[in-house]
Amino acid sequence: MKRINIGICGLGTVGGGTFNVLTRNLVDINSRAQCDIHIAHVGARRDNPACDTSEVQLSRDIFNVVADPEVDVVVELIGGTDVARQLVLNALDNGKHVVTANKALIAEHGSELFERAENNGVTISYEAAVAGGIPIISALREGLAANKIEWLAGIINGTTNFILTEMRDKGREFADVLAEAQALGYAEADPTFDVEGIDAAHKLVILASLAFGMPLQYNKVSCEGISDIEPADVAYASELGYRIKHLGIARFIEGQGIELRVHPTLIPASRLIANVDGVMNAVVVKGDAVGPTLFYGAGAGAEPTASAVVADIVRVARNLAGESTLQAMVPSLGYASDALEDYSILPIDAAETAFYLRMSLEDKPGALSQITQILSDEGISIEALIQKEPHEGETRVQVILLTNRVIENQMIEAIKKIEELESVSGSVIRIRVETLK
Amino acid sequence: MKRINIGICGLGTVGGGTFNVLTRNLVDINSRAQCDIHIAHVGARRDNPACDTSEVQLSRDIFNVVADPEVDVVVELIGGTDVARQLVLNALDNGKHVVTANKALIAEHGSELFERAENNGVTISYEAAVAGGIPIISALREGLAANKIEWLAGIINGTTNFILTEMRDKGREFADVLAEAQALGYAEADPTFDVEGIDAAHKLVILASLAFGMPLQYNKVSCEGISDIEPADVAYASELGYRIKHLGIARFIEGQGIELRVHPTLIPASRLIANVDGVMNAVVVKGDAVGPTLFYGAGAGAEPTASAVVADIVRVARNLAGESTLQAMVPSLGYASDALEDYSILPIDAAETAFYLRMSLEDKPGALSQITQILSDEGISIEALIQKEPHEGETRVQVILLTNRVIENQMIEAIKKIEELESVSGSVIRIRVETLK
């Protein structure tokens, strides 16, 4: 069998996982790849005690790997965007195929890298960049290729899903669960990237580009995190038959463009994705032919991510061993690059969703009717309402509403008016609601 | 762009859906395939009023399609195994690639067809043969290629899942729901194929061969249907925190071989797959690196199935246009054919599962302890037990047990002894339980 030489850059969590999975399952992997995959060179600043690299050429300078003339495929697992970008560009310029798990790199620099790859007659694969071990990239690029994708919605950040799950199951506060997630290693010391939705936005923009066939436009994703979610909202959502999930949503709106948004979302508890808990990830894709599909699995971790990295390695190695032309290989975004459509990304304030509203209201006659009047004047109808009796000694009640679908701007207007009412104290809590049908 | 000519044989439900999806989404599909896919020839005994074939060459004799020198890819959608087998063999011998949705054909004649394809330097694709629009074949062949698959379990027959869902939601009888399913077109006039698990067995054997890299061995699947399931069992299962699903299960047992079994199964209600309802399909795959993954979607129907057929067409067309060698293409069962492992298929009576038991017991002192004694003597422990008070005027009670994991043969022995007790009337109902962890 033909030998294909792999160079791995980075031997941290994912790099170590990739090294170990590839080594452990090599016989089967080679049978699948129909060639002899060989780890020819590993670049890592330091050893990973979980990996036995004694029989592999090891460089402390990762740039030695991309310069190695023996290496056919460079696997970039160092993370970050600056050095990684330079490393990948060098690899491509040296005529090497690249496999990466780096979502930030693809989301922010993908267009540049894809073009460079095409010009050099090589490919970049990035199955591991979104939702870890779930083969969602190839599902969008290949498995659902027959479909016009209408929308997709995903739990694509395990940290926020873990936090929201704990908040629901145990009625805990956000900050409290976040601290635990940090202790468990599910959240970084600086959690902004996860809890404010930046990581999810990186992944969403990749999924959307694949689904709709458009260039990557990371800076246009509208993004809200979960740090303002309170246990009360999680509980009221349950009472209404919903769950709060932090979703990345991309939707094609005929004749207008694409919605790209990351935010906490109420979804009916009966939806399969509403039952995806803990650190697990899932993506629902709605195609015009296939209808709704869902892909579920571990979104992070050494070996789940390695599973996706190695799947890419197998695919590239098989193509290399079989001497595929570039035309026979799946293009970077699934579409021929000159066929990508530059859809407009719609502003979030034009998005139409239903809303969950929670407000603190004075417990006196007429207070509620002022609110329903404002909503009615704005053409917003109420689908469900909870008003709890005030706790003893209190004079304020919590009012929770579910509205019909309404343009966001209109809802913002209505909320402004509600917040101006004397009987309403503080701000109105507002969470978008999607039925995902 | 290079033109790739498609010949479609069969214009029934799936054939018509394929024709329509391909026609409707052709611009996007061609951008994804990087070539010009052209329906050159359609073979169908009669027209499908849903399809406008006015601009397509149409033959009443489907064998004209496989004989047409213009056709590059034959799409077999006639169903059945006799004519379909001959048609596919002819197509392969004529050097044409084949795409099929025919699970019975692949399950029963796959080995012959795959060998013939390889000898002729062409491929057979069959993504649509299992779980309709869910890209589970490519997930196993490619997306999870890094993994040693430990087990998989799937709801792979929509009819039985619809029936079990209705039985649970509405407390209805099997026969009653079956009649409705037939009226709705979810079940055939002769429902044996679906409700006795034959269809699921066809699909399971395909999934298992892909997962473990072994030849197709349809005749070795152990198969039980759902026609004996009573509403009482569905209700008791719920009470115990479980749901009854008709699953196809394949499990690799180190050093022994492979379990291949289709049967009703109690699974914990908290599992995601336990919440897959109605006619929908889902497959859970547990890999050593990725952990548990789940793939969900429509398992049947014109356009969901067409979604998978067209995905195969795109893949083959891209490879043809790019002049791929056979070595660059994914082998029929994911593994190089000489690397398939001829694992033994284990007999069902050696399988280890937990059990749900229900029996009708005389309401008198000592009756229950006779039963617990028999189980204890056989080394079977009881994990949960429900005994209801007898209805007024009755002298018999229903006793429901969940056992620990035990070898099937051992359980059969214990049940024989229980059924011999004077205090037990009729047979003991027995349903396997899996935690799917």
Side-chain angles (χ1 to χ4, degrees):
Chain A
M1 286 202 297
K2 195 163 170 180
R3 169 179 286 202
I4 302 297
N5 287 316
I6 308 297
I8 297 178
C9 297
L11 208 58
T13 304
V14 178
T18 299
F19 184 91
N20 287 340
V21 169
L22 205 46
T23 310
R24 182 173 77 228
N25 292 342
L26 192 62
V27 174
D28 280 306
I29 288 168
N30 281 341
S31 296
R32 290 190 176 277
Q34 304 200 90
C35 63
D36 173 17
I37 294 174
H38 176 69
I39 301 178
H41 203 150
V42 170
R45 267 176 304 177
R46 64 186 73 85
D47 290 339
N48 182 331
C51 301
D52 175 10
T53 50
S54 56
E55 303 198 354
V56 175
Q57 190 187 341
L58 196 66
S59 292
R60 290 299 170 208
D61 180 353
I62 49 172
F63 281 84
N64 288 346
V65 177
V66 301
D68 183 343
E70 294 291 307
V71 167
D72 302 303
V73 181
V74 167
V75 183
E76 181 279 303
L77 301 171
I78 59 170
T81 49
D82 294 341
V83 180
R85 174 177 158 274
Q86 204 48 61
L87 187 82
V88 169
L89 287 172
N90 282 15
L92 298 171
D93 287 341
N94 291 344
K96 300 180 193 310
H97 295 264
V98 170
V99 171
T100 176
N102 193 328
K103 50 228 158 198
L105 179 70
I106 296 296
E108 297 179 21
H109 302 288
S111 300
E112 176 192 18
L113 300 177
F114 296 161
E115 193 186 340
R116 189 71 70 95
E118 199 170 343
N119 292 340
N120 284 303
V122 291
T123 58
I124 304 184
S125 308
Y126 51 93
E127 181 63 79
V130 181
I134 307 172
I136 183 66
I137 304 285
S138 59
L140 288 168
R141 294 206 314 183
E142 302 180 67
L144 303 177
N147 292 267
K148 195 152 184 57
I149 304 299
E150 298 171 0
W151 54 264
L152 61 84
I155 296 172
I156 45 182
N157 180 278
T159 308
T160 52
N161 203 46
F162 172 80
I163 293 172
L164 289 172
T165 302
E166 285 291 302
M167 288 177 74
R168 189 190 76 233
D169 286 355
K170 299 173 189 158
R172 296 168 65 187
E173 296 278 349
F174 168 80
D176 174 32
V177 186
L178 174 59
E180 187 196 341
Q182 287 169 319
L184 286 169
Y186 294 162
E188 306 288 330
D190 174 3
T192 319
F193 205 68
D194 289 317
V195 302
E196 297 308 337
I198 301 161
D199 176 67
H202 279 142
K203 293 164 179 168
L204 179 67
V205 80
I206 296 172
L207 293 178
S209 290
L210 289 159
F212 306 119
M214 62 180 190
L216 295 153
Q217 299 175 70
Y218 167 65
N219 55 347
K220 295 195 181 156
V221 183
S222 149
C223 189
E224 279 175 34
I226 62 162
S227 50
D228 291 338
I229 300 291
E230 296 179 30
D233 296 311
V234 175
Y236 287 129
S238 289
E239 196 172 332
L240 290 159
Y242 288 77
R243 294 204 174 154
I244 300 181
K245 291 292 179 187
H246 194 220
L247 296 184
I249 298 173
R251 189 186 299 269
F252 179 82
I253 301 191
E254 190 66 50
Q256 296 184 45
I258 309 281
E259 289 179 1
L260 278 184
R261 45 197 170 91
V262 171
H263 54 70
T265 317
L266 267 76
I267 51 179
S270 59
R271 295 283 174 279
L272 207 55
I273 193 172
N275 296 285
V276 170
D277 288 333
V279 294
M280 300 304 278
N281 280 199
V283 181
V284 178
V285 184
K286 173 82 177 345
D288 69 337
V290 75
T293 54
L294 178 142
F295 302 83
Y296 162 92
E303 294 219 348
T305 310
S307 172
V309 170
V310 173
D312 276 344
I313 293 174
V314 168
R315 202 175 282 121
V316 174
R318 188 194 293 114
N319 275 312
L320 277 176
E323 297 180 351
S324 283
T325 59
L326 208 58
Q327 202 196 336
M329 306 216 224
V330 185
S332 298
L333 286 172
Y335 281 76
S337 57
D338 58 4
L340 296 176
E341 194 81 47
D342 207 356
Y343 295 110
S344 3
I345 306 304
L346 304 171
I348 182 83
D349 54 13
E352 190 187 79
T353 67
F355 280 90
Y356 162 100
L357 304 179
R358 175 166 65 90
M359 58 201 77
S360 176
L361 193 64
E362 216 170 318
D363 185 27
K364 67 170 191 191
L368 186 59
S369 78
Q370 286 182 303
I371 290 169
T372 56
Q373 187 61 50
I374 290 173
L375 291 172
S376 158
D377 290 347
E378 294 284 335
I380 299 167
S381 67
I382 297 170
E383 305 286 318
L385 189 149
I386 301 178
Q387 180 179 338
K388 301 275 178 184
E389 284 189 39
H391 290 289
E392 214 165 297
E394 286 187 16
T395 61
R396 309 199 68 80
V397 292
Q398 294 283 309
V399 173
I400 297 94
L401 296 172
L402 286 187
T403 74
N404 66 335
R405 287 175 67 84
V406 48
I407 302 293
E408 177 130 344
N409 246 339
Q410 223 177 320
M411 181 51 78
I412 291 172
E413 281 309 305
I415 287 175
K416 254 190 224 155
K417 289 182 189 160
I418 291 173
E419 287 175 343
E420 282 163 9
L421 292 173
E422 245 178 58
S423 57
V424 171
S425 72
S427 17
V428 174
I429 307 276
R430 153 185 84 104
I431 309 174
R432 297 176 191 88
V433 181
E434 293 277 4
T435 58
L436 300 185
K437 261 211 222 175
Chain B
M1 286 200 297
K2 197 163 170 180
R3 170 179 285 202
I4 302 297
N5 287 316
I6 308 296
I8 297 178
C9 297
L11 209 59
T13 303
V14 177
T18 300
F19 184 91
N20 287 340
V21 169
L22 206 45
T23 310
R24 182 174 78 229
N25 292 342
L26 192 62
V27 173
D28 280 306
I29 288 168
N30 281 342
S31 296
R32 289 189 176 279
Q34 305 200 88
C35 63
D36 172 18
I37 293 174
H38 176 70
I39 301 178
H41 203 150
V42 170
R45 266 178 304 178
R46 62 185 74 85
D47 290 339
N48 181 332
C51 301
D52 175 10
T53 51
S54 57
E55 302 198 355
V56 175
Q57 190 186 342
L58 196 67
S59 292
R60 291 301 170 206
D61 181 352
I62 49 172
F63 281 85
N64 288 345
V65 176
V66 301
D68 184 341
E70 293 291 307
V71 167
D72 302 303
V73 182
V74 167
V75 184
E76 182 279 303
L77 302 171
I78 61 170
T81 50
D82 294 342
V83 179
R85 174 177 159 273
Q86 205 47 63
L87 187 82
V88 169
L89 286 172
N90 283 15
L92 298 172
D93 288 342
N94 291 343
K96 299 177 193 313
H97 295 263
V98 170
V99 172
T100 177
N102 194 326
K103 51 228 158 197
L105 180 70
I106 297 297
E108 296 180 22
H109 302 288
S111 300
E112 177 192 17
L113 300 177
F114 296 160
E115 194 186 339
R116 189 72 69 93
E118 197 169 344
N119 291 340
N120 285 302
V122 290
T123 58
I124 304 184
S125 309
Y126 51 94
E127 180 63 79
V130 181
I134 308 172
I136 183 67
I137 304 286
S138 59
L140 287 168
R141 294 206 312 184
E142 302 179 66
L144 304 177
N147 293 268
K148 194 151 184 59
I149 304 297
E150 297 171 0
W151 54 265
L152 61 85
I155 296 172
I156 45 183
N157 180 277
T159 308
T160 53
N161 202 46
F162 172 79
I163 293 173
L164 290 172
T165 302
E166 285 290 303
M167 288 177 75
R168 188 190 77 233
D169 286 354
K170 298 170 190 161
R172 295 167 66 187
E173 296 278 348
F174 168 79
D176 174 32
V177 185
L178 174 59
E180 186 196 341
Q182 287 170 320
L184 287 169
Y186 294 163
E188 307 286 331
D190 175 2
T192 320
F193 204 68
D194 288 318
V195 301
E196 296 308 336
I198 301 162
D199 177 67
H202 279 142
K203 294 164 179 167
L204 178 66
V205 79
I206 296 172
L207 293 178
S209 290
L210 289 159
F212 307 119
M214 63 179 188
L216 294 153
Q217 299 175 70
Y218 167 65
N219 57 346
K220 294 194 183 155
V221 183
S222 151
C223 188
E224 279 176 33
I226 61 162
S227 50
D228 292 338
I229 300 290
E230 296 178 30
D233 297 311
V234 175
Y236 288 129
S238 290
E239 197 172 330
L240 290 159
Y242 288 77
R243 294 204 175 154
I244 301 182
K245 292 291 179 187
H246 194 220
L247 297 183
I249 299 173
R251 189 187 299 268
F252 179 81
I253 302 192
E254 190 67 49
Q256 296 185 47
I258 310 281
E259 289 179 1
L260 278 184
R261 44 197 171 92
V262 171
H263 53 71
T265 317
L266 267 77
I267 50 179
S270 58
R271 294 284 173 277
L272 206 56
I273 193 172
N275 296 285
V276 171
D277 288 333
V279 295
M280 300 304 278
N281 281 198
V283 181
V284 179
V285 183
K286 174 81 178 344
D288 68 337
V290 74
T293 55
L294 178 143
F295 303 84
Y296 163 92
E303 294 218 348
T305 311
S307 171
V309 171
V310 173
D312 276 344
I313 293 174
V314 168
R315 202 175 281 123
V316 175
R318 188 193 292 117
N319 274 312
L320 277 176
E323 297 179 351
S324 284
T325 59
L326 207 58
Q327 202 197 335
M329 307 217 224
V330 185
S332 299
L333 286 173
Y335 281 76
S337 57
D338 58 3
L340 296 176
E341 195 81 47
D342 206 357
Y343 296 111
S344 1
I345 307 303
L346 304 171
I348 181 84
D349 53 14
E352 190 187 80
T353 67
F355 280 90
Y356 162 100
L357 304 179
R358 174 165 65 90
M359 57 201 78
S360 175
L361 194 63
E362 217 171 318
D363 185 27
K364 66 170 192 190
L368 186 59
S369 78
Q370 287 182 304
I371 291 173
T372 55
Q373 188 61 52
I374 289 174
L375 291 171
S376 158
D377 290 348
E378 294 285 336
I380 299 167
S381 68
I382 296 169
E383 305 286 318
L385 189 149
I386 302 179
Q387 180 179 337
K388 300 277 179 183
E389 284 189 40
H391 292 288
E392 211 162 302
E394 285 186 16
T395 61
R396 310 199 67 80
V397 293
Q398 295 282 309
V399 172
I400 297 95
L401 295 172
L402 287 186
T403 74
N404 67 335
R405 287 174 68 84
V406 47
I407 301 294
E408 177 130 346
N409 245 338
Q410 221 176 324
M411 181 51 78
I412 291 171
E413 281 309 304
I415 287 175
K416 255 190 223 154
K417 290 181 189 160
I418 291 172
E419 288 175 344
E420 281 163 11
L421 293 173
E422 245 178 59
S423 57
V424 172
S425 74
S427 12
V428 173
I429 307 275
R430 154 185 83 104
I431 307 174
R432 298 177 190 89
V433 181
E434 293 277 5
T435 57
L436 300 185
K437 261 212 217 168

mmCIF file with all atom_site columns, all heavy atoms in Angstrom, chain B residues 58 95 256 259 323 395 417 433-434:
data_model
loop_
_atom_site.group_PDB
_atom_site.id
_atom_site.type_symbol
_atom_site.label_atom_id
_atom_site.label_alt_id
_atom_site.label_comp_id
_atom_site.label_asym_id
_atom_site.label_entity_id
_atom_site.label_seq_id
_atom_site.pdbx_PDB_ins_code
_atom_site.Cartn_x
_atom_site.Cartn_y
_atom_site.Cartn_z
_atom_site.occupancy
_atom_site.B_iso_or_equiv
_atom_site.pdbx_formal_charge
_atom_site.auth_seq_id
_atom_site.auth_comp_id
_atom_site.auth_asym_id
_atom_site.auth_atom_id
_atom_site.pdbx_PDB_model_num
ATOM 1  N N   . LEU B 1 58  ? -37.421 8.459   -22.350 1.00 0.00 ? 58  LEU B N   1
ATOM 2  C CA  . LEU B 1 58  ? -38.187 7.579   -21.461 1.00 0.00 ? 58  LEU B CA  1
ATOM 3  C C   . LEU B 1 58  ? -38.330 6.202   -22.097 1.00 0.00 ? 58  LEU B C   1
ATOM 4  O O   . LEU B 1 58  ? -38.703 6.094   -23.260 1.00 0.00 ? 58  LEU B O   1
ATOM 5  C CB  . LEU B 1 58  ? -39.566 8.210   -21.247 1.00 0.00 ? 58  LEU B CB  1
ATOM 6  C CG  . LEU B 1 58  ? -40.427 7.717   -20.090 1.00 0.00 ? 58  LEU B CG  1
ATOM 7  C CD1 . LEU B 1 58  ? -39.816 8.066   -18.746 1.00 0.00 ? 58  LEU B CD1 1
ATOM 8  C CD2 . LEU B 1 58  ? -41.827 8.353   -20.198 1.00 0.00 ? 58  LEU B CD2 1
ATOM 9  N N   . GLY B 1 95  ? -20.148 -1.390  -17.146 1.00 0.00 ? 95  GLY B N   1
ATOM 10 C CA  . GLY B 1 95  ? -19.195 -0.366  -16.709 1.00 0.00 ? 95  GLY B CA  1
ATOM 11 C C   . GLY B 1 95  ? -19.839 0.871   -16.119 1.00 0.00 ? 95  GLY B C   1
ATOM 12 O O   . GLY B 1 95  ? -19.224 1.947   -16.072 1.00 0.00 ? 95  GLY B O   1
ATOM 13 N N   . GLN B 1 256 ? -15.100 -12.608 20.859  1.00 0.00 ? 256 GLN B N   1
ATOM 14 C CA  . GLN B 1 256 ? -16.190 -13.540 20.606  1.00 0.00 ? 256 GLN B CA  1
ATOM 15 C C   . GLN B 1 256 ? -16.827 -13.346 19.239  1.00 0.00 ? 256 GLN B C   1
ATOM 16 O O   . GLN B 1 256 ? -16.960 -14.291 18.471  1.00 0.00 ? 256 GLN B O   1
ATOM 17 C CB  . GLN B 1 256 ? -17.284 -13.376 21.679  1.00 0.00 ? 256 GLN B CB  1
ATOM 18 C CG  . GLN B 1 256 ? -16.801 -13.736 23.076  1.00 0.00 ? 256 GLN B CG  1
ATOM 19 C CD  . GLN B 1 256 ? -17.937 -13.672 24.078  1.00 0.00 ? 256 GLN B CD  1
ATOM 20 O OE1 . GLN B 1 256 ? -19.019 -14.183 23.835  1.00 0.00 ? 256 GLN B OE1 1
ATOM 21 N NE2 . GLN B 1 256 ? -17.694 -13.016 25.194  1.00 0.00 ? 256 GLN B NE2 1
ATOM 22 N N   . GLU B 1 259 ? -22.949 -9.424  17.935  1.00 0.00 ? 259 GLU B N   1
ATOM 23 C CA  . GLU B 1 259 ? -24.389 -9.632  18.121  1.00 0.00 ? 259 GLU B CA  1
ATOM 24 C C   . GLU B 1 259 ? -25.134 -8.849  17.059  1.00 0.00 ? 259 GLU B C   1
ATOM 25 O O   . GLU B 1 259 ? -24.831 -7.687  16.814  1.00 0.00 ? 259 GLU B O   1
ATOM 26 C CB  . GLU B 1 259 ? -24.831 -9.111  19.491  1.00 0.00 ? 259 GLU B CB  1
ATOM 27 C CG  . GLU B 1 259 ? -24.351 -9.945  20.647  1.00 0.00 ? 259 GLU B CG  1
ATOM 28 C CD  . GLU B 1 259 ? -24.813 -9.365  21.996  1.00 0.00 ? 259 GLU B CD  1
ATOM 29 O OE1 . GLU B 1 259 ? -25.520 -8.333  21.994  1.00 0.00 ? 259 GLU B OE1 1
ATOM 30 O OE2 . GLU B 1 259 ? -24.438 -9.942  23.020  1.00 0.00 ? 259 GLU B OE2 1
ATOM 31 N N   . GLU B 1 323 ? -12.344 12.287  -12.737 1.00 0.00 ? 323 GLU B N   1
ATOM 32 C CA  . GLU B 1 323 ? -11.576 11.122  -13.203 1.00 0.00 ? 323 GLU B CA  1
ATOM 33 C C   . GLU B 1 323 ? -10.863 10.397  -12.071 1.00 0.00 ? 323 GLU B C   1
ATOM 34 O O   . GLU B 1 323 ? -9.685  10.050  -12.169 1.00 0.00 ? 323 GLU B O   1
ATOM 35 C CB  . GLU B 1 323 ? -10.596 11.537  -14.308 1.00 0.00 ? 323 GLU B CB  1
ATOM 36 C CG  . GLU B 1 323 ? -11.360 12.043  -15.516 1.00 0.00 ? 323 GLU B CG  1
ATOM 37 C CD  . GLU B 1 323 ? -10.454 12.503  -16.661 1.00 0.00 ? 323 GLU B CD  1
ATOM 38 O OE1 . GLU B 1 323 ? -9.235  12.592  -16.458 1.00 0.00 ? 323 GLU B OE1 1
ATOM 39 O OE2 . GLU B 1 323 ? -11.010 12.749  -17.743 1.00 0.00 ? 323 GLU B OE2 1
ATOM 40 N N   . THR B 1 395 ? -58.729 -12.188 41.457  1.00 0.00 ? 395 THR B N   1
ATOM 41 C CA  . THR B 1 395 ? -57.857 -12.871 42.409  1.00 0.00 ? 395 THR B CA  1
ATOM 42 C C   . THR B 1 395 ? -56.431 -12.955 41.881  1.00 0.00 ? 395 THR B C   1
ATOM 43 O O   . THR B 1 395 ? -55.573 -13.567 42.497  1.00 0.00 ? 395 THR B O   1
ATOM 44 C CB  . THR B 1 395 ? -58.356 -14.303 42.673  1.00 0.00 ? 395 THR B CB  1
ATOM 45 O OG1 . THR B 1 395 ? -58.319 -15.012 41.430  1.00 0.00 ? 395 THR B OG1 1
ATOM 46 C CG2 . THR B 1 395 ? -59.763 -14.294 43.212  1.00 0.00 ? 395 THR B CG2 1
ATOM 47 N N   . LYS B 1 417 ? -39.258 -22.303 34.554  1.00 0.00 ? 417 LYS B N   1
ATOM 48 C CA  . LYS B 1 417 ? -39.602 -22.716 35.918  1.00 0.00 ? 417 LYS B CA  1
ATOM 49 C C   . LYS B 1 417 ? -40.737 -21.871 36.490  1.00 0.00 ? 417 LYS B C   1
ATOM 50 O O   . LYS B 1 417 ? -41.608 -22.382 37.195  1.00 0.00 ? 417 LYS B O   1
ATOM 51 C CB  . LYS B 1 417 ? -38.375 -22.626 36.824  1.00 0.00 ? 417 LYS B CB  1
ATOM 52 C CG  . LYS B 1 417 ? -37.345 -23.698 36.484  1.00 0.00 ? 417 LYS B CG  1
ATOM 53 C CD  . LYS B 1 417 ? -36.127 -23.641 37.390  1.00 0.00 ? 417 LYS B CD  1
ATOM 54 C CE  . LYS B 1 417 ? -35.048 -24.596 36.862  1.00 0.00 ? 417 LYS B CE  1
ATOM 55 N NZ  . LYS B 1 417 ? -33.720 -24.256 37.394  1.00 0.00 ? 417 LYS B NZ  1
ATOM 56 N N   . VAL B 1 433 ? -34.036 -5.392  27.852  1.00 0.00 ? 433 VAL B N   1
ATOM 57 C CA  . VAL B 1 433 ? -33.791 -4.021  28.314  1.00 0.00 ? 433 VAL B CA  1
ATOM 58 C C   . VAL B 1 433 ? -32.344 -3.659  27.996  1.00 0.00 ? 433 VAL B C   1
ATOM 59 O O   . VAL B 1 433 ? -31.441 -4.461  28.246  1.00 0.00 ? 433 VAL B O   1
ATOM 60 C CB  . VAL B 1 433 ? -33.995 -3.913  29.849  1.00 0.00 ? 433 VAL B CB  1
ATOM 61 C CG1 . VAL B 1 433 ? -33.762 -2.480  30.333  1.00 0.00 ? 433 VAL B CG1 1
ATOM 62 C CG2 . VAL B 1 433 ? -35.384 -4.401  30.251  1.00 0.00 ? 433 VAL B CG2 1
ATOM 63 N N   . GLU B 1 434 ? -32.138 -2.486  27.417  1.00 0.00 ? 434 GLU B N   1
ATOM 64 C CA  . GLU B 1 434 ? -30.766 -2.022  27.151  1.00 0.00 ? 434 GLU B CA  1
ATOM 65 C C   . GLU B 1 434 ? -30.624 -0.612  27.696  1.00 0.00 ? 434 GLU B C   1
ATOM 66 O O   . GLU B 1 434 ? -31.534 0.211   27.535  1.00 0.00 ? 434 GLU B O   1
ATOM 67 C CB  . GLU B 1 434 ? -30.488 -1.997  25.641  1.00 0.00 ? 434 GLU B CB  1
ATOM 68 C CG  . GLU B 1 434 ? -30.446 -3.359  24.970  1.00 0.00 ? 434 GLU B CG  1
ATOM 69 C CD  . GLU B 1 434 ? -29.089 -4.054  25.111  1.00 0.00 ? 434 GLU B CD  1
ATOM 70 O OE1 . GLU B 1 434 ? -28.207 -3.511  25.806  1.00 0.00 ? 434 GLU B OE1 1
ATOM 71 O OE2 . GLU B 1 434 ? -28.938 -5.138  24.517  1.00 0.00 ? 434 GLU B OE2 1
#
